[in-house]
């Protein structure tokens, strides 16, 4: 178990700290944008203008319908997949930005972006696919590299001596 945890948490550091800083800036900005601009909009808010009360972590009504339209397994449990997609974007984006459980967050973001590209954005051309593709590439290299020296994973590994 300790070996698996070490593999998941321990980031790969670049030879020079400047390279880690460049990767960190992309990771932080990408995580913040993913979380605030894309993920948070998929969750409901505690109130709506129409006066309908929603639970704080309830997925917005339009998103499960969108997910169900993908067909296949997504049509069987659209609320579950909508919640997982919204969670991976909103919470995974935050984790990516702070460098906590970076590889786990990157994996969830990768899965979500692949679904977004092939099930939702495919017919919209290059410009329609570009945001999801950008987050996919950020997630791919962070899945391999981890957080680098500028993330909480690096500090956790140093602190608990894995």
């Amino acid at each position: 178990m300790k070996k698996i945890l070490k593999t998941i948490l321990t980031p790969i550091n670049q030879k020079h700290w400047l390279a880690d800083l460049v990767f960190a800036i992309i990771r932080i900005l990408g995580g913040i944008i993913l979380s605030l601009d894309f993920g948070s909009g998929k969750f409901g808010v505690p109130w709506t203008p129409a006066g309908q009360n929603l639970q704080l972590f309830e997925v917005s009504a339009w998103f499960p319908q969108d997910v169900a339209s993908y067909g296949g397994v997504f049509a069987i449990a659209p609320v579950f997949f909508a919640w997982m997609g919204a969670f991976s974007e909103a919470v995974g984006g935050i984790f990516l930005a702070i460098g906590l459980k970076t590889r786990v967050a990157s994996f969830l973001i990768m899965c979500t972006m692949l679904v977004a590209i092939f099930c939702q954005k495919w017919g919209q051309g290059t410009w329609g696919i570009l945001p999801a593709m950008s987050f996919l590439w950020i997630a791919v290299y962070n899945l391999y590299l981890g957080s680098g020296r500028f993330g909480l994973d690096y500090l956790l590994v140093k602190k608990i001596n894995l």
Side-chain angles (χ1 to χ4, degrees):
M1 181 66 177
K2 188 175 180 179
K3 185 177 180 180
I4 293 171
L5 189 60
K6 181 178 182 176
T7 303
I8 291 173
L9 285 180
T10 305
I12 297 173
N13 294 327
Q14 304 305 307
K15 290 181 181 178
H16 196 274
W17 65 269
L18 187 58
D20 274 331
L21 181 63
V22 170
F23 285 135
I25 290 170
I26 297 168
R27 176 179 50 80
I28 292 166
L29 290 177
I32 289 170
I33 292 168
L34 179 64
S35 181
L36 296 180
D37 214 25
F38 290 87
S40 63
K42 292 178 176 81
F43 282 110
V45 293
W47 58 273
T48 62
Q52 300 170 342
N53 290 326
L54 295 174
Q55 298 298 319
L56 182 59
F57 291 110
E58 182 178 316
V59 177
S60 293
W62 65 270
F63 193 48
Q65 294 170 356
D66 191 38
V67 170
S69 72
Y70 304 161
V73 71
F74 299 106
I76 296 170
V79 173
F80 171 75
F81 286 110
W83 198 91
M84 290 303 294
F87 177 84
S88 72
E89 288 181 8
V91 178
I94 292 169
F95 276 37
L96 192 65
I98 63 176
L100 180 64
K101 308 270 190 200
T102 308
R103 288 189 172 102
V104 175
S106 294
F107 177 75
L108 293 174
I109 292 167
M110 273 179 43
C111 293
T112 302
M113 292 305 119
L114 286 169
V115 170
I117 290 166
F118 291 109
C119 294
Q120 184 183 39
K121 304 289 185 183
W122 191 254
Q124 297 178 9
T126 305
W127 286 109
I129 294 174
L130 196 58
M133 189 66 80
S134 299
F135 292 123
L136 174 66
W137 291 125
I138 291 171
V140 165
Y141 81 76
N142 278 291
L143 181 67
Y144 177 73
L145 293 176
S147 69
R149 324 173 195 225
F150 299 105
L152 291 180
D153 286 344
Y154 179 76
L155 297 174
L156 284 172
V157 167
K158 282 181 65 174
K159 181 80 173 171
I160 59 178
N161 293 326
L162 283 177

